[in-house]
Amino acid sequence: MKNALGTPDPEVGTLPAARGFVPALEGLRAVAAFAVLTTHVAFQTASSTGSAIHRIWGRMDLSVAVFFALSGFLLWRVHALHARSGAPGTARPARTYLRSRVVRIMPAYLALVAAAFLLVPHNASASASTWVANLTLTQVFVPDSLVEGLTHAWSLSVEMSFYLVLPLLWFSLAGLRGRAARWRIPVISVVAALSLGWALVPWHDLGLPERLNDQILPPAFASWFAAGMILAELVAAPPGRMAALARHRHARWGWWALAGVAFVATTVPQWFTEGFVHPPGPEFAARTALGAVVAFCLLAPVALAPAGLRFAGLGSGPMTMLGRWSYGVFLWHVLVLYFAFEIAFVPMFSGRMLEVWLVTAVVSTVIAAVSYSLVEEPSRGWLTPRRDPGALPESGRLTDDTPTDASPTDGQPSASPAQTSPKAVASDGPSPSPA
């Protein structure tokens, strides 16, 4: 069916995930948040290397790829639908979009920054530039600005960079609409593939500051965001033969099996260095590529699910509740882990991962629930302009301001492996593999 412009109507043949709230995605967000927490606990209890199961705990930092892809998917889908309709321009005013991102991320994050600088003794000597870098989420661009309790926020910095660049991406692809929209996926895919070459460029030889870790700069993770953007394009597109096969209700087992194979490949010590290290460029590029595969294949079954297909566990009440709190879990768990060893009376790097995990998970969840109720939701109410209840969304028909896309986990960043030590930051800076 075509609309008045003579182009395919995006409302016909698109999938439920192309618009609105998707409970199973919220459940996936919660799973990924606790996976990140697990990797950090494993590292601090010397349980991230050695045996096969330890290597699995140590590589669950790839969950950050899921968060970045989720951001790409949720924030891109309204524009993918808009392009398929053939309508000119973009689907949402950039100023309104950017304000919504700041309102969603910064209040709870600023509370964490204040707590980390005031509660961790080592941070008392931090310079004013370090304070500013962390308060403004620009720490990945400032050498030696990753501090205890906040080392994981490097990925939030990457996330914010993506938010700022996204309107430019809308405008750059605005010409690919209507029939030309079929070229959007190839263009995004090419950019994602090219971004993998970032790790192969000797940036320090080209003038990058010596103590700045090029493997945590935003361009290094473009493929992870692109994985979600491609999914957004797929759910907005009328289904062809291959798309119909990918959307089949039984295809999810194939997608998840492929995600499992890609994940396990990153734990093979003959191929990838164990633990939180700064690997050579080719190894980093390969692991980043596999992270994009893992993220795409984990999200695809939910995003491409046909109407009526349920993911009972992921979309359940408890899981969606944890999904709403997952940003707080991500924010606070590294600072909680700093004190968890004293709470559990366990020395660092002494094993006993289960005890430390339980303390960290429970306390982080409680703080996250309080943060959601007393900081995140009230801030959104105070700082978001009131709308006429009867007014249409900004795009006239579509909106991405749904509960699902509202989590700055919209990519829920994770801490960098080499930096997640609550009591010591690795000398070579954060590891490229976010955790």
Side-chain angles (χ1 to χ4, degrees):
M1 183 179 296
K2 297 185 177 181
N3 57 25
L5 296 171
T7 54
D9 190 335
E11 299 293 337
V12 178
T14 56
L15 294 169
R19 64 184 66 76
F21 178 66
V22 184
L25 288 179
E26 203 77 331
L28 272 176
R29 194 194 301 281
V31 172
F34 285 96
V36 167
L37 181 151
T38 298
T39 284
H40 294 160
V41 172
F43 173 67
Q44 292 301 319
T45 56
S47 304
S48 62
T49 61
S51 68
I53 189 63
H54 283 184
R55 289 195 294 272
I56 288 175
W57 301 145
R59 196 45 64 220
M60 292 178 80
D61 56 353
L62 281 182
S63 295
V64 76
V66 176
F67 289 129
F68 283 6
L70 193 54
S71 282
F73 172 74
L74 293 170
L75 295 175
W76 191 257
R77 58 186 181 166
V78 64
H79 301 283
L81 278 171
H82 186 80
R84 297 284 172 176
S85 74
T90 61
R92 191 179 186 194
R95 183 175 62 181
T96 304
Y97 151 77
L98 290 171
R99 181 178 59 212
S100 73
R101 296 293 85 203
V102 171
V103 168
R104 181 63 185 95
I105 290 177
M106 294 307 292
Y109 173 71
L110 293 177
L112 171 69
V113 172
F117 275 99
L118 295 175
L119 296 179
V120 178
H122 182 74
N123 293 340
S125 59
S127 66
S129 64
T130 300
W131 269 86
V132 171
N134 282 275
L135 286 169
T136 58
L137 278 174
T138 57
Q139 56 268 57
V140 297
F141 304 104
V142 181
D144 305 322
S145 292
L146 300 164
V147 300
E148 295 183 35
L150 292 173
T151 52
H152 61 314
W154 73 267
S155 51
L156 253 186
S157 183
V158 171
E159 185 91 1
M160 183 61 80
S161 298
F162 172 70
Y163 294 158
L164 293 174
V165 169
L166 196 60
L168 299 179
L169 301 180
W170 301 343
F171 289 112
S172 66
L173 295 185
L176 297 179
R177 56 181 181 265
R179 289 195 181 102
R182 66 182 183 274
W183 293 105
R184 291 165 68 89
I185 290 177
V187 169
I188 295 170
S189 300
V190 168
V191 173
L194 290 175
S195 75
L196 297 174
W198 175 269
L200 307 179
V201 178
W203 292 108
H204 293 297
D205 296 340
L206 299 179
L208 202 67
E210 186 63 32
R211 298 192 313 278
L212 196 65
N213 188 347
D214 59 290
Q215 292 184 348
I216 60 166
L217 292 178
F221 302 102
S223 63
W224 290 2
F225 292 107
M229 294 163 65
I230 291 171
L231 271 177
E233 294 289 342
L234 288 174
V235 301
R241 291 182 180 177
M242 289 301 295
L245 180 63
R247 297 172 177 186
H248 192 277
R249 64 179 58 246
H250 297 307
R252 56 177 160 171
W253 305 115
W255 286 117
W256 284 336
L258 184 56
V261 169
F263 174 79
V264 170
T266 66
T267 70
V268 177
Q270 291 81 5
W271 300 342
F272 296 96
T273 309
E274 295 183 62
F276 294 160
V277 296
H278 189 109
E283 181 181 330
F284 174 77
R287 190 161 66 189
T288 302
L290 286 171
V293 172
V294 169
F296 185 91
C297 293
L298 284 177
L299 295 176
V302 177
L304 300 176
L309 182 60
R310 293 183 173 275
F311 297 84
L314 290 174
S316 66
M319 290 302 295
T320 54
M321 179 180 66
L322 288 174
R324 288 193 295 272
W325 297 345
S326 60
Y327 179 49
V329 172
F330 157 73
L331 279 182
W332 291 94
H333 79 273
V334 172
L335 184 59
V336 170
L337 183 56
Y338 180 90
F339 297 102
F341 294 93
E342 298 174 15
I343 296 173
F345 301 103
V346 175
M348 287 181 62
F349 302 109
S350 63
R352 302 172 69 179
M353 177 180 167
L354 179 59
E355 296 171 53
V356 178
W357 188 94
L358 287 172
V359 170
T360 306
V362 170
V363 176
S364 297
T365 302
V366 171
I367 295 177
V370 172
S371 172
Y372 184 81
S373 298
L374 300 184
V375 179
E376 297 169 48
E377 280 299 286
S379 296
R380 200 179 329 188
W382 298 331
L383 301 175
T384 301
R386 300 290 180 185
R387 279 190 197 159
D388 178 355
L392 287 173
E394 297 145 3
S395 64
R397 191 167 51 144
L398 305 169
T399 177
D400 61 353
D401 250 346
T402 64
T404 309
D405 111 42
S407 219
T409 44
D410 275 28
Q412 203 147 137
S414 131
S416 152
Q419 279 186 247
T420 49
S421 167
K423 306 221 173 185
V425 176
S427 59
D428 64 353
S431 147
S433 121

